[in-house]
Amino acid sequence: MIQPRPDAAPPTDWDLSPAPETVKVRIDPESRLYIDGGFAAAADGRTFETVNPASEQTLSRVADAGSADIDRAVEAARRALRGWSRTPAIERAKYLFRIARRIQDRSRELAVLETLDGGKPIKESRDVDVPLVAQHFFHHAGWCDKLRHAVPGRDPVPVGVCAQVIPWNFPLMMAAWKLAPALACGNTCVLKPAETTPLTAIRLAEIFEEVGLPPGVVNIVTGGPETGRLLVEHGDVDKVAFTGSTEVGKRIAASCAAKRRKVTLELGGKGPHVIFADAAIDQAVEGIVSGIWFNQGQVCCAGSRLLVEERVLEEVIEKLAWRMKSLRVGDPMDKNTDVGAINSRRQLDTIRGYITRGVDEGATLHECGDRPLPDRGFWCRPTFFSGVQPSQTIAREEIFGPVLAVMSFRTPEEAVARANDTAYGLSAGVWTDKGAKALEFARRAKAGVVWCNGFNRFDPTAPFGGFRESGFGREGGAVGLREYLA
Ligand code: NAD
């Protein structure tokens, strides 16, 4: 860890030699749908392009699934359900185990593809995302023959055909969070990745082929919002699992309610970090860095509001500004890069809009360094605002970018009240030297996950999910399995 020395110049002038990732991956100029164990173009031949957000270059033209393709995918999943749900649990486990092993074998390739298509730094794809994806399949391989322990006193019966729609910030990880528990429970799936990051899901389909997963057990359909809508509203789907924005989640909730269909929703967040004066401040600053600037802040559970006990506020701001200046923004394929590209121009425009709003509403802007950014691509320097009022837009709305709103509190009561003063309830972090204080905060925080003296730690054994506008249902652990059992 870098020890902040406010008296020293920030290390922005360190020159590190370029350390580009050298693994070359195959990228097909045309990417197809994976339905019923085979790859095919969309029935009406439509495609859309997916670009590298760090260069704005087209990577591939991707099949845009329409209603005929969705029908075909759902029918394939329905046909496969009987065989897959009756496959002995120990055999299902072997498939999941093999998938996990192949993900490990092909981890470098998957990490590179994830970074090229999504813009996140290669060190995150390589060291965080892909290992967690493999872990998720390993973990659920172990559950296949132990499902009775997930639903004590009941027969573990699969729900059926699952429609799963995921966003672009953790494309592979979200696919694993959806597919692994569903398959472990004996369901079949139709998965739709986000339109800006479809490539790794299609690569995952190759792995399903390699391990001999029976046709139709997993189908992958690419496309935009309309493809997602057709899938979640399809008449022959038994369960919907959605991760994405609260706005779309509400629409899906309404349509599932009308159809009395089982649904889980993992939606947005505005997570608070609470730093008490007795915390180890240097470690807390590192936690804040990983909480908001990890994956360019495009994390649903990002710690995007920072609440600091008043008497250490100045110290925290000083150290944070110093540490922020040492972050390297740029080519995501360079192993030294800390902050990569924003996923799309649309998202970049949204983030910039919020930064302008923060300045207009009177908060003080602190921006990371003045090193030049690449000419092409979608870039946003890590940023934080001090002097933020809880009523201001940047303190209330999910920005989904590397922008942190810093506020203060005086008492533990006020810390809890401010932390809970949000429409969301996905994540929170507490930094203190006192275990009792941390536990009391965790008990009273309205958040699905509360990290203590750490942030953004994920584990397949731990349930993850939100309250209020962050959605309902859990993914991960035994609780997550129950969402895939009737
Ligand atoms: P989004 O809701 O626009 O899109 C998410 C996915 O839904 C995409 O695949 C998209 O094509 C699809 N979609 C869009 N409209 C649809 C519709 N009407 N019916 C069905 N599918 C539709 O969200 P986004 O901008 O891609 O992702 C960012 C959001 O996701 C943020 O709000 C973030 O907090 C949230 N998110 C939540 C979690 C979590 O676990 N809680 C994880 C990651 C992201």
Side-chain angles (χ1 to χ4, degrees), residues 254-465:
S255 105
C256 287
K259 294 184 167 71
R260 298 174 144 260
R261 181 173 280 172
K262 205 170 161 95
V263 60
T264 42
L265 300 172
E266 302 284 351
L267 310 177
K270 191 75 186 171
H273 261 292
V274 171
I275 302 190
F276 285 100
D278 57 28
I281 302 294
D282 289 348
Q283 278 90 333
V285 167
E286 285 306 304
I288 298 161
V289 169
S290 86
I292 184 62
W293 295 315
F294 172 64
N295 196 16
Q296 295 73 249
Q298 303 165 125
V299 182
C300 51
C301 53
S304 53
R305 288 181 297 145
L306 174 60
L307 306 171
V308 187
E309 193 167 343
E310 206 165 81
R311 61 199 160 96
V312 289
L313 178 65
E314 216 171 290
E315 180 187 352
V316 169
I317 288 181
E318 200 169 73
K319 289 184 167 175
L320 190 60
W322 194 92
R323 178 65 177 89
M324 181 175 72
K325 288 198 164 73
S326 71
L327 294 173
R328 287 173 180 275
V329 187
D331 181 8
M333 289 291 279
D334 190 308
K335 293 168 197 163
N336 292 320
T337 294
D338 298 303
V339 178
I342 299 298
N343 181 255
S344 64
R345 180 171 299 285
R346 193 171 131 229
Q347 185 59 21
L348 179 61
D349 290 344
T350 303
I351 299 167
R352 285 186 176 152
Y354 277 111
I355 293 177
T356 307
R357 190 86 182 258
V359 173
D360 290 348
E361 289 183 359
T364 307
L365 173 72
H366 306 251
E367 230 185 21
C368 157
D370 46 13
R371 279 173 170 257
L373 294 173
D375 294 337
R376 303 206 65 186
F378 313 133
W379 309 100
C380 181
R381 296 181 196 280
T383 298
F384 73 86
F385 281 98
S386 59
V388 178
Q389 297 304 315
S391 58
Q392 287 172 352
T393 312
I394 50 168
R396 307 205 74 77
E397 295 184 12
E398 185 188 42
I399 299 174
F400 221 57
V403 184
L404 174 70
V406 184
M407 293 165 275
S408 64
F409 66 87
R410 287 190 187 145
T411 63
E413 285 299 318
E414 198 186 0
V416 172
R418 289 213 161 168
N420 288 340
D421 182 18
T422 167
Y424 296 106
L426 191 57
S427 66
V430 56
W431 298 83
T432 170
D433 197 29
K434 305 280 180 295
K437 217 187 236 179
L439 288 172
E440 179 62 8
F441 176 83
R443 196 180 65 76
R444 298 175 63 192
K446 291 267 181 303
V449 54
V450 181
W451 287 290
C452 174
N453 294 334
F455 211 85
N456 273 343
R457 299 281 163 220
F458 303 102
D459 187 320
T461 65
F464 183 91

Side-chain angles (χ1 to χ4, degrees), residues 155-232:
D155 262 348
V157 177
V159 186
V161 173
C162 302
Q164 304 176 315
V165 177
I166 55 174
W168 42 263
N169 57 344
F170 290 95
L172 263 179
M173 219 161 96
M174 291 298 107
W177 283 24
K178 297 274 179 288
L179 294 173
L183 297 180
C185 293
N187 301 282
T188 56
C189 306
V190 182
L191 175 88
K192 190 198 91 63
E195 52 276 30
T196 54
T197 53
L199 297 186
T200 44
I202 303 169
R203 199 57 54 102
L204 210 48
E206 288 180 13
I207 290 181
F208 299 147
E209 267 206 325
E210 281 173 4
V211 305
L213 196 69
V217 170
V218 175
N219 306 274
I220 298 188
V221 289
T222 43
E226 179 58 11
T227 308
R229 190 191 63 75
L230 288 167
L231 175 58
V232 300

